[in-house]
Amino acid sequence: MSVRVFVYGTLKRGEEYHDWLEGQHFITTAWTKPLYRMFNVGGYPGMVRVANGLAIEGEVWEVSEEGVSRLDLLEDVAGGEYERAAVELVGDLTDQYVESYLYLREVAGLCDVGTHWPPRNRT
């Protein structure tokens, strides 16, 4: 069994941890509904669901059960940094079930990076 996973940061193509998706199937680029914010939590992003959200840009991947287990390790699900949960997307994926990794720790004082990782103004 596989799961569709929305990735929005260092797992995207061309980013630092993309190799964790090796052997998985890229579906499409996608945007969330404007229900989320993305913060720089130390060189990587954390996406949280908020009342005053933005549409976050990312990619949807078809990930095997084994692949999801690996991603859960990377995202420290067991340690409470992220949780894998349903995420709401727009466009062709509006009515499809897709999961993503939502950041669980405090974001007060962290830099909101907008809708895209890496931040477009990064040097």
Side-chain angles (χ1 to χ4, degrees):
M1 177 164 230
S2 62
V3 176
R4 287 194 171 189
V5 178
F6 175 80
V7 298
Y8 53 86
T10 59
L11 287 167
K12 293 189 317 185
R13 294 173 296 168
E15 290 298 318
E16 182 177 5
Y17 293 111
H18 176 67
D19 59 334
W20 285 70
L21 286 169
E22 184 176 340
Q24 308 309 310
H25 179 67
F26 173 77
I27 302 294
T28 189
T29 56
W31 291 85
T32 67
K33 289 184 177 180
L35 302 171
Y36 307 91
R37 291 276 180 172
M38 187 167 46
F39 295 89
N40 185 334
V41 298
Y44 57 94
M47 185 172 76
V48 297
R49 188 176 175 111
V50 294
N52 61 339
L54 300 172
I56 305 299
E57 178 185 7
E59 301 173 350
V60 176
W61 288 79
E62 190 78 30
V63 181
S64 68
E65 193 172 324
E66 179 183 323
V68 168
S69 294
R70 285 193 317 265
L71 294 179
D72 285 355
L73 287 173
L74 175 67
E75 303 294 358
D76 194 22
V77 170
E81 186 170 9
Y82 290 86
E83 70 174 340
R84 187 167 30 90
V87 65
E88 296 179 62
L89 303 178
V90 297
D92 293 342
L93 299 170
T94 297
D95 296 324
Q96 295 189 29
Y97 183 79
V98 178
E99 295 181 347
S100 191
Y101 289 91
L102 299 179
Y103 189 69
L104 296 176
R105 297 189 178 151
E106 181 59 51
V107 295
L110 297 177
C111 179
D112 184 323
V113 297
T115 63
H116 178 82
W117 185 270
R120 298 211 190 271
N121 61 356
R122 179 169 91 172
T123 57

